[in-house]
Amino acid sequence: MARSELTPQDKANQKKISLTLNELSNSRKISQVEISRATKIPAGTLNGYFKGTSLPSPGNVQKLADFFNVFKSDIDPRFGKIDNIIPITKTVKIPLLGEIACGDPILAEENIEEYIDEPVNYLPSGKCFYLKAKGDSMKPTIPSGSNVLIRQQPDVEDDEIAAVLMTETNEATLKRIKRSNGTMFLMPDNPEFTPIIVGEDNPTRILGKAVRVVTDL
């Protein structure tokens, strides 16, 4: 997930969770491997919590709290006391895109499967939409079935994850962007998958930058 697009509150929460998990594991001399086995949280996902690069789902916060025998609020400030909660002043409807019709603007009504309510406090600036991840090419970063929040923009930096439209098939894919000697590559995070080379025979268009992954238990 692209860290630069996180809200200040998201960044503060990631830092607090990372610090707490490292303190708990170090004080009890427990490795991430042991925690992963006991909680059934995938090792890659757990490592993101420890490094402060991703936010745990409520279910995973509960698993970690149960494992360490602490309160959820001891690990994740989002479960803190009422007076520490940031009030949600407004929500907006973010479109979840399905099949993308040829030639239509990306947010055309016929491309939208449904809308997801999101608090404005937790959204980056600009136009946003959701894509549902399909397949295992971006595991463990993006599990299949996850909803991925995309900030609409025409380009991204190397090593950032983008929503990319394969223009010949009108299918959107999520891949990490790499460029070398004037050629762009769509890189999977899963080493079992092959990179896609972008060219005249395989034209693409970047739709936006992935900024958040939402996974249901």
Side-chain angles (χ1 to χ4, degrees):
M1 174 168 77
R3 301 173 204 167
S4 61
E5 298 300 332
L6 292 174
T7 66
Q9 188 61 50
D10 285 335
K11 293 179 180 179
N13 290 340
Q14 284 184 340
K15 184 176 181 180
K16 171 65 167 60
I17 292 166
S18 170
L19 180 64
T20 300
L21 290 177
N22 279 286
E23 287 179 346
L24 286 170
S25 62
N26 290 337
S27 65
R28 304 183 190 194
K29 294 181 172 55
I30 301 172
S31 69
Q32 289 187 40
V33 173
E34 292 173 296
I35 299 169
S36 175
R37 287 173 180 167
T39 62
K40 308 301 183 185
I41 298 174
T45 300
L46 185 65
N47 185 247
Y49 305 158
F50 271 80
K51 291 169 60 180
T53 58
S54 61
L55 287 168
S57 66
N60 282 349
V61 175
Q62 184 66 65
K63 290 177 182 178
L64 291 167
D66 290 343
F67 177 80
F68 286 111
N69 195 27
V70 297
F71 293 111
K72 289 187 292 184
S73 58
D74 293 332
I75 293 175
D76 190 332
R78 293 175 297 175
F79 295 90
K81 297 179 181 178
I82 296 299
D83 57 4
N84 289 333
I85 294 178
I86 297 175
I88 296 173
T89 57
K90 183 182 178 182
T91 61
V92 294
K93 292 185 179 296
I94 304 298
L96 173 65
L97 302 189
E99 184 176 346
I100 299 171
C102 181
D104 285 340
I106 186 63
L107 297 182
E109 192 66 32
E110 50 265 43
N111 293 336
I112 298 171
E113 283 191 351
E114 61 177 290
Y115 288 89
I116 298 173
D117 288 323
E118 279 283 353
V120 295
N121 314 51
Y122 296 101
L123 290 173
S125 60
K127 291 183 178 180
C128 296
F129 60 91
Y130 272 108
L131 279 180
K132 185 172 289 291
K134 298 178 182 178
D136 296 329
S137 68
M138 291 302 291
K139 286 179 63 178
T141 311
I142 304 176
S144 182
S146 302
N147 288 336
V148 182
L149 183 66
I150 307 295
R151 176 186 172 180
Q152 191 173 352
Q153 59 187 67
D155 201 4
V156 301
E157 299 292 330
D158 274 16
D159 207 38
E160 291 181 331
I161 297 174
V164 182
L165 182 67
M166 313 302 290
T167 54
E168 288 193 345
T169 61
N170 291 310
E171 293 181 353
T173 185
L174 293 158
K175 292 291 184 292
R176 200 173 294 278
I177 301 299
K178 296 281 189 181
R179 296 176 179 89
S180 179
N181 298 323
T183 300
M184 187 168 78
F185 299 85
L186 308 183
M187 305 295 296
D189 277 8
N190 187 338
E192 295 181 3
F193 287 75
T194 304
I196 298 171
I197 302 174
V198 177
E200 292 182 1
D201 296 333
N202 197 23
T204 63
R205 176 164 65 94
I206 291 177
L207 302 177
K209 176 179 175 178
V211 297
R212 185 184 307 155
V213 178
V214 180
T215 304
D216 292 330
L217 294 177

